[in-house]
Amino acid sequence: MHAEIRVETDDFNIAKEWAAMRARLGGRAGAVVAFAGIVRDHAGTEQVNGLFLEHYPGMTEASIGKILAKASDRWELTDTVVIHRIGELGPRDQIVLVLVAAAHRGDAFAACEFIMDYLKTDAVFWKKEHRPDGDSWIGATGRDRERRNGWEADAR
Amino acid sequence: MNSAASTVVTVRFFGSLRETVGRDAVDLDVDDACIAGVRKRLASLLSADELQALSGQGVRVCVNQTIARGNVEVRAGDEVAFLPPVTGG
């Protein structure tokens, strides 16, 4: 399985990544599922002016690699790409892209959701929210952990 | 343990801990080549509050990007990192 992981400050171009994946796939995959995460302008009822994302070069990529390996153990995947942005991001900015290709759509849909749920809890990133009343470092939410733990329960 | 060769390690801080201690990295010559030795050496650089933050809930210590369980040994050139709980992507 081709597994590509990029952590970068620059924005990504979904069409370009999609085309590159299709070129690699040839006729092996019948399904590609894409997820793009966008920075919201709010968290609950509070306004958010932007985010700062920090990573640990090397360790962050390795943590994403583990997630992709886990997904690949569970489903028949042909190709995966994860692009995650770091640094200062504003509302409406793209923050993450997950592309998953598989022979059949069921595997691609499920694996894409799985990868995203694990990224939200296990990937080595630290996130600071800029709010009107100041900045604060945030943790993974209870809802994110529940979603991740749901996959663990499924596996048992 | 006493050796003539010095053990210089790079200590890195991330996220909220980087802000708390006011630096992202520092090179330390440690007498006692283990995590406890690194903490002891940090005690001479940081305030009590800053030092306490490094032992805060959920803080993980890594040596060469691998989570260290317990008071593991460090060697010259190692990278020791203090990581607050990750937010995820």
Side-chain angles (χ1 to χ4, degrees), chain A residues 54 56 119 125 128 137-138, chain B residues 15 18-19 65 79 87 89:
Chain A
E54 186 171 331
Y56 187 171
L119 278 176
F125 289 102
K128 187 160 72 169
W137 291 96
I138 56 177
Chain B
R18 176 177 54 74
E19 289 189 342
Q65 308 208 342
E79 183 174 280
T87 316

Side-chain angles (χ1 to χ4, degrees), chain A residues 54-59 84 119-121 123 125-128 137-138, chain B residues 12 14-16 18-19 62 65 79 81 83-89:
Chain A
E54 186 171 331
H55 80 309
Y56 187 171
M59 195 169 182
H84 209 297
L119 278 176
K120 294 292 285 181
T121 52
F125 289 102
W126 297 277
K127 214 180 262 174
K128 187 160 72 169
W137 291 96
I138 56 177
Chain B
R12 299 181 69 174
F14 289 89
S16 57
R18 176 177 54 74
E19 289 189 342
C62 289
Q65 308 208 342
E79 183 174 280
L83 315 184
V86 302
T87 316

